[in-house]
Amino acid sequence: MPILEGKELRIVGFLCNWCSYGGADTAGVGRFKQPTDLRVIKVPCSGRIDPLFIVKTLMAGADGVLVSGCHPRDCHYSEGNYYARRRLEMLKRFLPIMGIDPKRFDYTWVSASEGQRWQEVVTKFTEQIHELGAAPKIAGAEAEETLKLMEAAL
Amino acid sequence: MKIGVFVCHCGSNIEGTVDTAAVAAASREFPGVVFATDTMYACSEPGQDGIIEAIKEHKLDGVVVASCTPRMHEPTFRRTLERAGLNRYLFEMANIREHVSWIGKDREANTNKSADLVRMAAAKLLKNRPLFSKQFPVNKSVMVIGGGVAGIQAALDCANGGLKVVLVEKDTTIGGKMAKLDKTFPTVDCSSCVLGPLMVDVAQHPNIKLHAYSEIEEVNGYVGNFEVSIKKKASYVDWDSCTGCGLCVEKCPSRKATDFFNEKLATTKAINIPFPQAIPKKAKIDANFCMKLQKDKCGVCAKVCPSESIDFSQKDEIITESVGAIVAATGFDLFDWTVYGEYGGGKYPDVITSLQYERMLSASGPSEGHIKRPSDGKEPKNVVFIQCVGSRDKSVDRPYCSGFCCMYTAKQTILTKDHIPDSQSHVFYMDIRSPGKLYDEFTRRAMEEYGANYIRGRVSMIYPQGDKLVVRGADTLMGAQVEVDADLVVLAVGAEAAAGATDLAKKLRISYDNYGFYMEGHPKLKPVETNTAGVYLAGACQGPKDIPASVAQGGAAASKVLGLFSQDMLASDPQVSVVEIKRCIGCGKCIETCPFGAIKEIDFRGMKKADVIETICQGCGICTSTCPQGAVQLQHFTDNQILAEVNAICRF
Ligand code: SF4
Ligand code: SF4
């Protein structure tokens, strides 16, 4: 089954297990309607998210990447989201260097009880990606080269 | 690997908006998948049996179930796999209910997305490895934090079950809010007659060690082996020798200390024992009011104390306790109603809180059970009660129902009539919520037998007129404005999370909701568990609860602890990090970033390397994204596993 042409884009969500994945569940339980483009990858903690995952995801052809973790100070592992914040802030500045529109990436905080907030975040981010349209393909030797540079930098 | 895929209908929950048969058909094309089917209820007995049969028949060595959230049934299906002889980690779940069928109605898009999620799960599963947990010994003792009725019940039940219990209470006595109550609903029996004996049991139980006037400083370790450091606050009295005779209290000349036990309705001595039935019955000096500690004068208590227990030089002390499980029973606080300007914001002495009223009603309270107006000591005839003060009110960020205020207000109107037969109670209410056993009958009695005048509507204003207060509000049933002359106004204040609850939550590594109440593992399936293994909840720290519910939950938490300790050894979670020694360059970055100190430096053939201490690692994976070499990998969430999912989504 290919993605639905014209209807959907590839959006990957990296969600921490404790807060944001729970928040997305809460949104589901609350039947809060959302666009279907986003697919969730569950990780234990936002601190598990290597900025390179995001770069690699975008290079693999994703049109957008959204990261969500527990609100600062609420991390299940006490400080994972602080690490995440530092790394993802860095990444934001590096994306343009790679020729990637930084609007294709965003990170946010959603707690397990914030189903409504998750709905808003997904809806807004999906709209933003649809405005940008499908991502231009990044491929070839040059991309490999930049990826190597990023790997060294991050 | 031979993967089997099971796509669950979940009745119409999923099947209603997802074509599960089509998802199963699509799954058959995915790499590694040799068998795929749709099933009515995967989690039911026939559903699980079907999975086991398919594993045997098709010689599957990995399973994907596409159904609800893994937070609900991942453990269920892992057990299914084990019953079929597979390792429990050769399993992945695709969440096509909460993340698909419940959030969109477009059947085509949902079917598509579901198939994608199955593809991701299968791609990850191809990289899964069997993981095996190790056994480690448990310390069969439990710490209960909070000595209110929920904590007392949990402590007694654990102690009676044969466990060593450490009970930590922040005040100088246990008893909590219940100890302050005069009577309890719906039986109107005396609170201290119910609670008192339990408190004595705590004091005398050989299995219970009580640290009163103590707070949790730090929590380390993990289920089965927690190390908790506790701050024993300075009471300036040596509690080992203090007999609680009260001679010091009698002779202390400083009588202006705040009486917290009596809800600040009265003052007390600088050295005091909160109430006669206190457990432990020990004196404590309130440093703010002690002339010796403030101005180096007086010292009378030290002179009169027959056991020479007074020690002005005492300091806070840190002690450590090792336990295997923790029950948080830290209770609640009352909403600070002075934010309500329309109720006088704390300006009028004759507007008091329900708990202050309770102290007034109590024979052991500051007025010996006589209802007196704080302003002039007169007996009130017209008492107005206002419900939902700091409950069900978005404007003060308390949208939730505090649950017990309707009931205690009804009780207080009944007690008012008992104390002052020619009095009249008026109750402004929003709704009456009385769903407990005999609760509705009770509120009706307040209205019908005791003649309490219930007015449905909010109060817009209270203002003084002569020596009375005028309470103005709406009667929404009559559709009219009403004004009631009151001699005394009692505010049914709601419950909020205890001060400091969030700080403790962080120390315990448990989650809390927007209002600071602790979150249970699952609202239906794990009501007293938390998401941190070995930490349980009891009572109002989880949300407003009345006495029966708190006691029930205290018992439930105790039963969970006893269940946990029914094994001598616990199995560790193998989803931890491991260092690939060849790749590790010994830079130590992971050691620095691990929030739990779970990684140590080791010497490997003369080289510096990192090594993960399995039992301490919590499996966050912060180290894995830190390591520049990719040498430390969180098992079950390795770089390769996550990127396999990414590639499965982005393959076009
Ligand atoms: S995964 Fe790594 S950082 Fe997290 S607790 Fe384990 S060793 Fe520490
Ligand atoms: S960060 Fe990686 S290379 Fe550095 S010590 Fe830890 S495991 Fe070894």
Side-chain angles (χ1 to χ4, degrees), chain B residues 579 583-590 610 627-629 631-632:
Chain B
V579 178
R583 280 193 154 196
C584 175
I585 53 164
C587 66
K589 289 204 167 77
C590 56
C627 176
Q629 302 296 315
V632 53

Side-chain angles (χ1 to χ4, degrees), chain B residues 460-614:
Chain B
S460 58
M461 194 178 179
I462 301 175
Y463 60 93
Q465 196 169 67
D467 70 344
K468 291 195 183 298
L469 292 160
V470 180
V471 182
R472 180 188 291 164
D475 184 332
T476 52
L477 294 181
M478 304 277 284
Q481 282 279 335
V482 281
E483 277 187 4
V484 184
D485 285 347
D487 300 308
L488 183 68
V489 177
V490 181
L491 303 179
V493 281
E496 62 182 22
T502 50
D503 288 334
L504 181 65
K506 279 170 208 151
K507 290 174 188 167
L508 291 170
R509 296 192 298 274
I510 59 177
S511 348
Y512 49 90
D513 66 17
N514 293 349
Y515 306 102
F517 289 114
Y518 296 163
M519 296 237 294
E520 60 284 342
H522 186 282
K524 307 266 188 311
L525 302 174
K526 292 182 170 181
V528 298
E529 288 101 323
T530 66
N531 279 329
T532 300
V535 180
Y536 304 92
L537 304 176
C541 62
Q542 186 213 23
K545 258 178 215 79
D546 61 9
I547 295 166
S550 300
V551 170
Q553 218 191 6
S559 83
K560 292 288 170 191
V561 174
L562 287 162
L564 177 76
F565 289 169
S566 64
Q567 300 129 281
D568 294 323
M569 304 287 272
L570 287 182
S572 66
D573 185 345
Q575 297 177 85
V576 292
S577 281
V578 282
V579 178
E580 192 187 326
I581 218 98
K582 275 197 283 211
R583 280 193 154 196
C584 175
I585 53 164
C587 66
K589 289 204 167 77
C590 56
I591 302 178
E592 274 164 43
T593 44
C594 173
F596 305 99
I599 311 185
K600 63 173 191 301
E601 192 185 292
I602 54 161
D603 179 89
F604 181 78
R605 297 186 188 144
M607 287 173 292
K608 253 172 68 178
K609 298 281 176 183
D611 190 32
V612 177
I613 310 162
E614 245 172 87

Side-chain angles (χ1 to χ4, degrees), chain B residues 126-331:
Chain B
L126 283 176
K127 304 218 178 295
N128 282 13
R129 295 284 164 268
L131 299 178
F132 300 93
S133 35
K134 296 228 167 84
Q135 302 279 314
F136 61 90
V138 271
N139 174 351
K140 293 190 182 181
S141 59
V142 53
M143 175 171 292
V144 178
I145 307 172
V149 66
I152 288 174
Q153 187 68 41
L156 285 174
D157 285 351
C158 285
N160 290 336
L163 303 180
K164 291 274 175 226
V165 180
V166 181
L167 178 58
V168 180
E169 166 57 48
K170 70 176 189 315
D171 287 332
T172 53
T173 172
I174 58 171
K177 297 277 187 303
M178 186 176 170
K180 298 186 181 191
L181 303 181
D182 176 36
K183 303 271 175 8
T184 61
F185 59 78
T187 42
V188 204
D189 47 4
C190 111
S191 184
S192 53
C193 317
V194 179
L195 187 66
L198 293 182
M199 290 169 62
V200 176
D201 286 350
V202 167
Q204 296 185 341
H205 206 295
N207 282 351
I208 300 181
K209 179 149 115 198
L210 173 60
H211 294 299
Y213 205 40
S214 298
E215 265 168 66
I216 304 299
E217 190 76 2
E218 208 183 307
V219 182
N220 283 311
Y222 48 93
V223 57
N225 295 283
F226 290 106
E227 282 263 309
V228 188
S229 41
I230 302 164
K231 179 163 84 189
K232 299 200 98 176
K233 295 179 277 187
S235 62
Y236 306 102
V237 176
D238 173 22
W239 279 13
D240 290 335
S241 57
C242 170
T243 58
C245 67
L247 221 57
C248 53
V249 183
E250 215 172 279
K251 294 284 188 291
C252 173
S254 170
R255 45 187 78 240
K256 288 265 162 59
T258 320
D259 189 348
F260 291 102
F261 185 76
N262 282 314
E263 291 289 306
K264 305 183 191 170
L265 269 182
T267 54
T268 181
K269 301 291 187 72
I271 186 163
N272 62 67
I273 297 171
F275 59 108
Q277 299 82 19
I279 300 276
K281 196 175 177 192
K282 307 284 177 190
K284 179 204 86 178
I285 296 180
D286 184 338
N288 294 323
F289 294 92
C290 170
M291 291 189 270
K292 179 75 182 172
L293 289 166
Q294 291 291 335
K295 303 189 192 125
D296 200 20
K297 288 184 188 134
C298 185
V300 166
C301 50
K303 283 173 211 141
V304 300
C305 176
S307 50
E308 294 177 8
S309 302
I310 311 293
D311 174 6
F312 294 111
S313 66
Q314 203 180 64
K315 296 265 173 316
D316 291 353
E317 190 193 338
I318 304 281
I319 57 163
T320 1
E321 291 280 1
S322 305
V323 293
I326 297 174
V327 177
T330 47

Side-chain angles (χ1 to χ4, degrees), chain A:
Chain A
M1 264 180 258
I3 62 160
L4 300 168
E5 286 297 344
K7 258 182 160 171
E8 286 200 336
L9 291 174
R10 295 272 122 183
I11 306 177
V12 177
F14 290 100
L15 267 56
C16 84
N17 179 37
W18 301 101
C19 294
S20 294
Y21 196 90
D25 281 351
T26 308
V29 173
R31 313 294 200 273
F32 296 141
K33 199 171 168 356
Q34 296 153 48
T36 43
D37 314 41
L38 181 113
R39 278 107 175 96
V40 171
I41 295 180
K42 186 173 76 149
V43 288
C45 174
S46 52
R48 171 67 190 95
I49 298 162
D50 189 329
L52 277 172
F53 289 167
I54 292 146
V55 176
K56 286 179 177 160
T57 309
L58 289 165
M59 290 195 45
D63 304 304
V65 176
L66 179 67
V67 167
S68 185
C70 308
H71 287 280
R73 299 178 63 218
D74 290 1
C75 178
H76 179 79
Y77 303 99
S78 52
E79 38 196 68
N81 51 7
Y82 290 129
Y83 286 107
R85 188 166 61 184
R86 261 173 270 161
R87 291 167 182 162
L88 299 173
E89 261 318 305
M90 281 276 280
L91 173 74
K92 266 198 165 163
R93 302 193 190 161
F94 271 104
L95 286 177
I97 302 174
M98 278 208 75
I100 294 174
D101 190 337
K103 285 209 214 74
R104 296 201 179 272
F105 161 67
D106 205 0
Y107 69 90
T108 186
W109 319 116
V110 173
S111 80
S113 56
E114 292 175 325
Q116 197 127 34
R117 184 171 146 73
W118 175 250
Q119 175 195 34
E120 285 156 19
V121 165
V122 174
T123 311
K124 223 181 102 223
F125 189 71
T126 309
E127 273 167 17
Q128 180 175 320
I129 300 302
H130 274 268
E131 259 162 49
L132 297 173
K137 289 270 166 293
I138 317 166
E142 207 184 314
E144 284 306 313
E145 200 45 42
T146 358
L147 186 62
K148 273 208 193 103
L149 285 176
M150 293 282 284
E151 209 149 328
L154 286 169

